[in-house]
Amino acid sequence: MIDFLSVAAHQEKTRAAYDGVVELYASLFAGRLEGQPFARNMIGTFAELVRETGNPRAADVGCGPGHLTAMLADLGLDALGFDLSPAMVDHARRAHPALRFDEARMEALPVADGALGGVLAHYSMIHTPPGELPALLAEQVRVLEPGGLLLASFFATDGPDPVRFDHKVTPAYSWPTDRFAALLARAGLVPFARLLHDPASERGFLDAHVLARAAGPGCP
């Protein structure tokens, strides 16, 4: 059972931490994918598959300064961004005025049931304690139409359990890829592609990207 007081406390800490690093974060990550071909191509594949669903509406959850929301728009999606941090949302709106950005919690998105063809969660679930992750995944399933796509990127570990570590902004978790994929399946998603690669990071975790499809009538 989720302790909602605990959820609110760690979310407030996460919000405050990111509010305090907006300009630095934006300057560091605005062009980050230029040197990350694996992540860049997974996002391109995600966008292509979302377009193929016939519903190009996609949400970038945990969008930060909005650079990936803009990338999704450039790839032909009707993209919108959500973030817990009001300062990040404000930056994203100023940097990308043609796109929609709103403050929202990942477990309570202001989106109608089944409205989206895709959800991008690019390292945006890493700060969520393991016991709270199923609620976030259930929300991604709720907003996806049957056959809609989720691309989740996260830090991966070779061990059997999630590992808590000191992220530069606020504590985070790395996940065994198989265990993360099992959580996706229990939430009602069908994982069908994954990519693991060595990071350009001193932490030593692998970078993981998992593509999953929302199950439903007519979907495997």
Side-chain angles (χ1 to χ4, degrees):
M1 186 173 180
I2 295 176
D3 181 344
F4 289 101
L5 289 176
S6 174
V7 172
H10 90 71
Q11 285 190 347
E12 183 56 38
K13 289 180 180 178
T14 301
R15 186 201 317 267
Y18 275 97
D19 276 350
V21 297
V22 174
E23 298 305 324
L24 175 61
Y25 189 93
S27 66
L28 288 174
F29 286 91
R32 183 77 175 265
L33 288 191
E34 293 176 5
Q36 296 184 338
F38 294 115
R40 187 174 66 248
N41 282 283
M42 283 296 280
I43 293 173
T45 298
F46 163 79
E48 179 179 347
L49 293 174
V50 172
R51 292 195 305 270
E52 288 178 359
T53 69
N55 179 1
R57 194 171 184 223
D60 178 10
V61 293
C63 65
H67 56 297
L68 295 186
T69 318
M71 180 179 178
L72 294 180
D74 289 342
L75 290 169
L77 299 186
D78 179 9
L80 60 159
F82 298 111
D83 203 276
L84 180 66
S85 162
M88 285 288 185
V89 169
D90 181 64
H91 179 98
R93 287 171 174 167
R94 287 185 282 108
H96 308 285
L99 301 177
R100 173 189 163 190
F101 296 95
D102 289 309
E103 184 182 346
R105 293 178 292 117
M106 290 181 66
E107 73 277 15
L109 297 173
V111 177
D113 294 357
L116 301 180
V119 171
L120 176 67
H122 190 76
Y123 296 92
S124 54
M125 293 189 267
I126 63 171
H127 302 297
T128 303
E132 297 166 21
L133 193 56
L136 265 65
L137 295 176
E139 181 69 348
Q140 318 313 307
V141 173
R142 181 189 70 77
V143 300
L144 282 170
E145 67 175 12
L149 282 301
L150 169 71
L151 174 57
S153 299
F154 55 96
F155 298 111
T157 181
D158 291 330
D161 299 308
V163 175
R164 187 179 187 274
F165 66 94
D166 291 327
H167 186 273
K168 290 180 179 178
V169 180
T170 191
Y173 298 83
S174 66
W175 277 84
T177 309
D178 287 343
R179 191 163 170 180
F180 191 93
L183 282 179
L184 296 177
R186 285 199 289 273
L189 293 153
V190 182
F192 64 91
R194 65 179 70 176
L195 172 64
L196 285 170
H197 60 91
D198 290 337
S201 166
E202 69 277 5
R203 297 189 189 101
F205 298 122
L206 295 174
D207 281 323
H209 314 273
V210 178
L211 266 169
R213 194 181 302 276
C219 300

